[in-house]
Amino acid sequence: MEIVHVYTKLHSEFGRQCLFSDRPAELLVDVPADQSLASQFTQRTRRDQSLQASRDMSEHRVNTKRFESESCGLNHEEGGWPKDVNHQVMEQTIRFRKKVEKDESYINSILQLGSVMEHCIRQNNAVDIYQDCFEDGEMPEEHQEPPSAKTINVFRDPNELKRTVTGLSWHPDGGEKLAAAYSCLEFQKTSRDMSLDSYIWDIENPNRPELSLKPASPLVCLEYNPKDCHSLVGGSYNGQIAYWDSRRGSQPVETSSVEHSHRDPVYKIIWLQSKTGTDTFSASTDGQVLWWDVRKLSEPTERLVLDPSREGNPERALGAISLDFESTMPTKFMVGTEQGLVVSCNRKAKTPTEKVVCTYDGHQGPVYALQRNPFFPKNFLTVGDWTARIWSEDIKESSIMWTKYQMSYLMDACWSPVRPSVFFTVKMDGVLDMWDILFKQNDPTLSLKVCDEALYSLRLQDNGRLVACGSQQGEATLLEISSGLSTLQKNEKSLLAAMFERETKREKILEARQREIRLKERSRSEQSRSEDGGREDIDQSPLQLMARAEEDFYVLTETEKKGKEREDQDLSSEKEVQILEQSNE
Amino acid sequence: MLVEETLKRIQSQNGVQGIIIINSEGIPIKTTLDNASTVQYAGLIHQLVMKARSTVRDIDPQNDLTFLRIRSKKNEIMIAPDKDYFLIVIQNPSD
C-alpha cells in the first residue's frame, strides 16, 4: 500500500526562499489490528537462546581407510622398437642399430654429448663435488631443549584376540628389526582361539609382521643372539625353550624336551658369551636356572636351584622372574625373584652351596626387572613393587638410591646404553618414565603416557634413541627420544661415578652405625640379663604377659580419660568466664 | 669412427662402469653392459629424463635440460640428453 502525498507549486514560485513553519503531526494512515488473523498463529513457549557474534563452526572427524602398501621393484622389458623390427630376432635388431649408427644426426649428437659427458666425468674424478666442505666437528652449544619423545610407529597384534607383549628384543645389527613375544600371562585367561604366534617386525612396516614365529606354546620371552643376527631363542609359557633361525622360517629349529625343561613359564632367557656363541641360560618361577646349548636342546647343560639356604632344595626354591648377565663379568650373574630378593650367583662355583654368593633384600613384590648399568657394572637397577632402586654390589642391606613410591606398579626398566645416568621404566597405567639421576632424583625427567592399558615390557635400541614398549593389548609402540636424553653429556661419567660413590659411602656409614647400635643393645641386654636372671624366667609365662598388657592398657585409658575430663573442665570454665564477661558488657 | 673413439675415451676414464646410448624411443643403440641391465636402465632413465625435461620446461619455456646427474650411495649415473639421443654413463667415483 503506497502512501502518497501530493503537493502543487506554481512555476513562478520556484527559486523563492523557503519559509518553514511548524505544524502538528497529521495522521496519514492507520491500519488497525485484524484479530481474525491471530487464530492462524499460536504463541510459542518462551525459550532462552544465546547469541554470539562469531562464525558458526562445527566439528567433524574423518578417518581415512587404511590401505596396505608394499614396496616392489619394476622390471622393464624391451620395447619401443618400430613395427617392422621384431626385437627377438637378433638380425633385425642389429640391422636397425647399424642403420642408426650410420645416421649423421646420430654422429653429431654423440660427439657433442660425448664432450659434455667427458667434462663431467673428469670433474667427478678431480674433486668430490658432494663432499662436506665444512666439517662440523665442534657442534654449536645446543640450546637445552626440554626432553621429549615422539611416537614413530605402533605395531599392533594382527590377531583378533589381543595378547600382551611380554618380551622385546632388538635385532643386534643396527636394530632394523624388533622381535616381540606375545603371550597371555593372566592365569587361565588364554582361550583356545588365541594365536600362539610371536612376530618379528620390520620397524619401517607396521602393517604386517616380517616373520611370524610359531612355537608350541606362547612365548613369554624372546632374545636375538647378539653374535648371530639370524638366530633367536625363546622361552615359552609351558617352560620349554625353542631355538629359531630366521632364515629357516617360522617353525623352531629345535625345542627342548618337556621333561627336562622348566615346569613354569620361562620368564627370562639370555644369551651367554662363549666361544661357540650358542650358550644361553633361562630362569623361571619354578626356582631353577638352567643352562642350555642351543645345538642340543634335549637337555640342559647345567642346573641351579635357587635355594637361599644353599641346599639345592627345590621345595624351598625362590621363583625367578628376571635375570641379568653382563658380558664383562662372565662368571657372575644375578637373578631377581618373585619373593623380592635379588640373588647374586657365581657360575664357576664347584659346589651348589658356593653358587649362591649373596642375596639382596630388594622389594616387597616380585623383582620384575634387573639390569646392571652398562657403564658402571658394580651398580645395578631393580624394579618391583612401586619403586625402582639402584644398588651397589657391596652394600647388601639396602639400595643406595631409590625413587619414591609411584602411583602404579612398575613392570619393567632398563638403562640407556649411551647415557650412564638415564634409565627408563614402564608402569601399569601405561606411562613410560625417563629418569635422569644427574638432573633430577625425585621425579622422572620425562613422563609420557604411551597408551591407556598397562605397559609390560621395554627395550632400548643400542643407539639409545629408539625405545620400544609393549602393552597389554598387544601394541608395541616405538618412540624416538630427543637428542638431549640420548647423547652423552660432558663429564657425565665422572659425575655419576662420584654420585654412586657418595651414595655407597652413605649407606656404608649407615650400615656401620646400625651395627654399632645393635651391638650396644645386645651387650646391654646381656648385662641386664645376667643381673636379674630370676625375674626374667617368671615373666616369660604368657598369662602373666597378657595380664601385664591388660594392666598397661587400662592404665593408659584411665590417664587419657582423666586428661580429657580436665580439658573439658578447663574449656567449660573458660566459656563461663566468657559468658560472664559478655553479660557484664 | 669418431663415435667409436669418443666412446673409447669415455670408457677409459677412471671409474666408468658402463655406457649406454638410447634413442628417443628408449631403444638402446649402443651399450657396454649386459642386455638385462641395459633394458632396465633404458626403460627407467628414459622416463626420468622426460619428466625432468618437462619440469624444466614447465617452469621456464625458454629453458631446457642440459645434463642430469643422479648420485646414489654406490655410484653416479650421468645422463646427457639431446633432441634424439641420450648418452648414459655410470661411474663409480673413486674418491
Side-chain angles (χ1 to χ4, degrees):
Chain A
M1 195 189 63
E2 240 178 52
I3 301 174
V4 175
H5 181 79
V6 184
Y7 75 102
T8 52
K9 195 165 180 180
L10 292 175
H11 188 276
S12 53
E13 288 178 3
F14 275 123
R16 215 185 270 185
Q17 180 194 28
C18 288
L19 293 164
F20 289 107
S21 62
D22 270 320
R23 197 175 52 139
E26 211 182 275
L27 181 64
L28 291 175
V29 178
D30 184 17
V31 182
D34 193 355
Q35 287 299 319
S36 62
L37 289 175
S39 56
Q40 292 177 21
F41 299 90
T42 50
Q43 184 89 342
R44 222 162 132 186
T45 49
R46 246 178 262 268
R47 244 196 352 199
D48 281 328
Q49 184 156 16
S50 55
L51 288 174
Q52 201 177 347
S54 67
R55 226 190 266 174
D56 268 335
M57 308 241 248
S58 71
E59 191 185 303
H60 184 65
R61 266 215 291 249
V62 168
N63 196 14
T64 52
K65 242 169 77 156
R66 208 211 269 174
F67 72 94
E68 305 249 334
S69 64
E70 226 182 85
S71 307
C72 54
L74 201 59
N75 194 21
H76 285 265
E77 284 195 13
E78 289 231 32
W81 292 96
K83 266 204 221 132
D84 51 354
V85 176
N86 179 4
H87 66 89
Q88 311 279 12
V89 179
M90 277 270 286
E91 248 188 52
Q92 294 188 358
T93 55
I94 292 180
R95 207 187 314 148
F96 179 81
R97 284 201 176 102
K98 284 230 165 64
K99 194 166 51 128
V100 171
E101 281 173 24
K102 297 229 169 61
D103 192 7
E104 226 191 87
S105 70
Y106 170 80
I107 299 175
N108 284 340
S109 16
I110 294 301
L111 287 177
Q112 198 205 11
L113 294 177
S115 59
V116 170
M117 185 60 81
E118 248 185 304
H119 171 77
C120 288
I121 293 176
R122 289 217 190 94
Q123 205 180 48
N124 260 352
N125 283 329
V127 164
D128 181 9
I129 65 179
Y130 298 101
Q131 72 174 164
D132 276 333
C133 293
F134 303 100
E135 294 268 331
D136 32 343
E138 270 300 309
M139 288 249 277
E141 263 297 312
E142 274 184 37
H143 307 282
Q144 282 298 325
E145 52 181 52
S148 60
K150 56 177 185 195
T151 316
I152 300 184
N153 253 330
V154 178
F155 304 98
R156 298 202 166 88
D157 188 357
N159 306 92
E160 279 283 322
L161 284 173
K162 310 279 179 201
R163 304 149 300 157
T164 318
V165 180
T166 48
L168 287 167
S169 172
W170 284 95
H171 190 95
D173 226 355
E176 294 295 319
K177 297 200 237 230
L178 179 65
Y182 294 83
S183 60
C184 185
L185 284 179
E186 288 170 59
F187 186 58
Q188 295 193 339
K189 278 278 173 69
T190 36
S191 64
R192 207 164 304 177
D193 303 326
M194 257 197 200
S195 152
L196 305 172
D197 298 344
S198 292
Y199 302 106
I200 297 182
W201 297 88
D202 182 347
I203 55 176
E204 308 285 320
N205 183 7
N207 296 326
R208 238 181 318 120
E210 195 181 313
L211 181 63
S212 63
L213 304 171
K214 298 185 192 300
S217 152
L219 287 180
V220 179
C221 58
L222 187 54
E223 279 289 326
Y224 261 105
N225 187 346
K227 295 275 170 63
D228 176 11
C229 53
H230 295 286
S231 54
L232 296 113
V233 75
S236 49
Y237 196 67
N238 66 355
Q240 284 180 304
I241 312 286
Y243 170 64
W244 274 272
D245 188 331
S246 57
R247 296 165 290 200
R248 283 256 207 112
S250 314
Q251 293 295 329
V253 172
E254 215 187 322
T255 321
S256 62
S257 54
V258 181
E259 310 89 60
H260 298 287
S261 309
H262 291 279
R263 271 166 262 125
D264 253 2
V266 180
Y267 278 96
K268 194 87 193 232
I269 187 161
I270 300 187
W271 287 89
L272 285 170
Q273 285 275 38
S274 71
K275 281 184 283 220
T276 54
T278 53
D279 289 321
T280 68
F281 68 138
S282 62
S284 152
T285 37
D286 64 356
Q288 293 180 36
V289 176
L290 298 175
W291 278 264
W292 307 84
D293 183 337
V294 290
R295 293 168 297 190
K296 186 168 162 302
L297 279 179
S298 51
E299 228 190 14
T301 49
E302 229 184 296
R303 191 185 289 262
L304 167 66
V305 177
L306 280 173
D307 186 5
S309 63
R310 306 188 187 174
E311 278 165 26
N313 187 354
E315 305 288 317
R316 304 240 300 256
L318 308 163
I321 286 246
S322 46
L323 269 183
D324 187 56
F325 173 75
E326 180 75 19
S327 34
T328 51
M329 292 198 265
T331 54
K332 292 201 280 187
F333 65 94
M334 293 204 292
V335 186
T337 62
E338 251 186 324
Q339 284 75 11
L341 268 93
V342 174
V343 184
S344 164
C345 309
N346 186 343
R347 193 177 162 200
K348 291 288 181 238
K350 300 287 187 307
T351 59
T353 47
E354 300 287 309
K355 280 263 168 105
V356 177
V357 170
C358 57
T359 60
Y360 302 86
D361 197 2
H363 291 265
Q364 271 104 14
V367 179
Y368 278 113
L370 172 62
Q371 199 190 7
R372 283 185 198 265
N373 189 329
F375 293 84
F376 296 97
K378 278 205 151 223
N379 298 298
F380 57 95
L381 168 72
T382 60
V383 137
D385 58 44
W386 293 270
T387 59
R389 287 169 192 272
I390 300 181
W391 303 72
S392 162
E393 253 186 3
D394 312 318
I395 312 283
K396 299 189 191 18
E397 267 76 33
S398 84
S399 51
I400 59 173
M401 292 171 73
W402 56 91
T403 67
K404 61 181 186 205
Y405 279 90
Q406 306 287 312
M407 287 283 109
S408 50
Y409 222 76
L410 272 79
M411 291 307 293
D412 201 356
C414 64
W415 290 98
S416 161
V418 286
R419 285 197 63 185
S421 67
V422 169
F423 66 92
F424 297 77
T425 56
V426 281
K427 305 211 287 245
M428 284 212 94
D429 56 4
V431 170
L432 169 72
D433 284 330
M434 285 171 233
W435 300 77
D436 182 352
I437 43 184
L438 280 180
F439 181 66
K440 223 198 305 189
Q441 280 98 20
N442 290 332
D443 289 309
T445 308
L446 179 61
S447 196
L448 274 177
K449 189 151 171 75
V450 173
C451 56
D452 289 323
E453 56 266 357
L455 284 173
Y456 268 81
S457 52
L458 169 74
R459 223 22 129 79
L460 264 105
Q461 203 203 26
D462 289 326
N463 65 8
R465 290 204 76 134
L466 292 177
V467 66
C469 41
S471 82
Q472 201 178 14
Q473 293 298 331
E475 273 181 28
T477 314
L478 188 65
L479 297 115
E480 183 177 352
I481 316 166
S482 65
S483 50
L485 281 172
S486 54
T487 41
L488 195 59
Q489 309 283 337
K490 309 188 267 233
N491 306 334
E492 194 172 327
K493 268 203 197 172
S494 45
L495 282 172
L496 194 67
M499 180 186 267
F500 279 151
E501 249 190 69
R502 185 186 71 212
E503 297 296 325
T504 322
K505 224 193 292 178
R506 184 198 67 167
E507 278 302 318
K508 273 206 196 117
I509 294 175
L510 282 174
E511 211 186 297
R513 187 93 185 92
Q514 284 277 17
R515 235 179 288 149
E516 265 183 48
I517 294 178
R518 251 182 279 141
L519 269 171
K520 253 193 242 163
E521 283 280 310
R522 220 180 294 157
S523 57
R524 211 186 312 144
S525 66
E526 276 187 24
Q527 267 190 349
S528 58
R529 206 179 298 157
S530 58
E531 278 178 15
D532 34 36
R535 242 195 306 156
E536 294 261 327
D537 293 318
I538 301 173
D539 270 0
Q540 288 315 311
S541 85
L543 276 168
Q544 297 256 350
L545 282 170
M546 280 206 294
R548 197 148 44 111
E550 263 188 62
E551 234 185 86
D552 287 338
F553 176 67
Y554 283 127
V555 164
L556 246 149
T557 43
E558 288 296 309
T559 42
E560 275 293 314
K561 242 201 280 183
K562 280 208 196 91
K564 216 160 182 289
E565 276 170 25
R566 221 178 301 130
E567 260 183 53
D568 286 337
Q569 269 186 1
D570 288 339
L571 267 174
S572 57
S573 61
E574 268 185 40
K575 274 205 206 123
E576 283 177 20
V577 170
Q578 278 182 8
I579 294 171
L580 278 170
E581 282 185 13
Q582 279 182 357
S583 60
N584 279 352
E585 288 168 20
Chain B
M1 294 338 105
L2 286 166
V3 168
E4 295 296 325
E5 271 179 41
T6 315
L7 294 182
K8 222 173 274 207
R9 226 186 17 242
I10 291 179
Q11 182 80 31
S12 63
Q13 297 280 357
N14 248 347
V16 170
Q17 284 172 342
I19 308 175
I20 307 172
I21 302 175
I22 59 175
N23 75 349
S24 50
E25 314 273 300
I27 304 175
I29 307 292
K30 199 148 184 67
T31 173
T32 61
L33 302 170
D34 58 290
N35 199 31
S37 317
T38 306
V39 169
Q40 275 290 98
Y41 272 109
L44 294 164
I45 289 181
H46 183 234
Q47 290 178 38
L48 185 64
V49 173
M50 287 303 149
K51 191 67 173 181
R53 186 178 268 162
S54 67
T55 306
V56 170
R57 285 216 136 145
D58 282 348
I59 294 174
D60 181 8
Q62 319 302 62
N63 211 352
D64 195 8
L65 182 69
T66 51
F67 201 79
L68 188 60
R69 268 188 208 256
I70 304 170
R71 177 67 157 237
S72 72
K73 273 200 281 206
K74 298 192 180 160
N75 48 25
E76 182 163 352
I77 305 170
M78 291 177 278
I79 306 148
D82 190 62
K83 195 159 64 78
D84 301 314
Y85 301 95
F86 302 153
L87 174 62
I88 302 165
V89 172
I90 300 136
Q91 186 189 23
N92 196 348
S94 42
D95 39 8

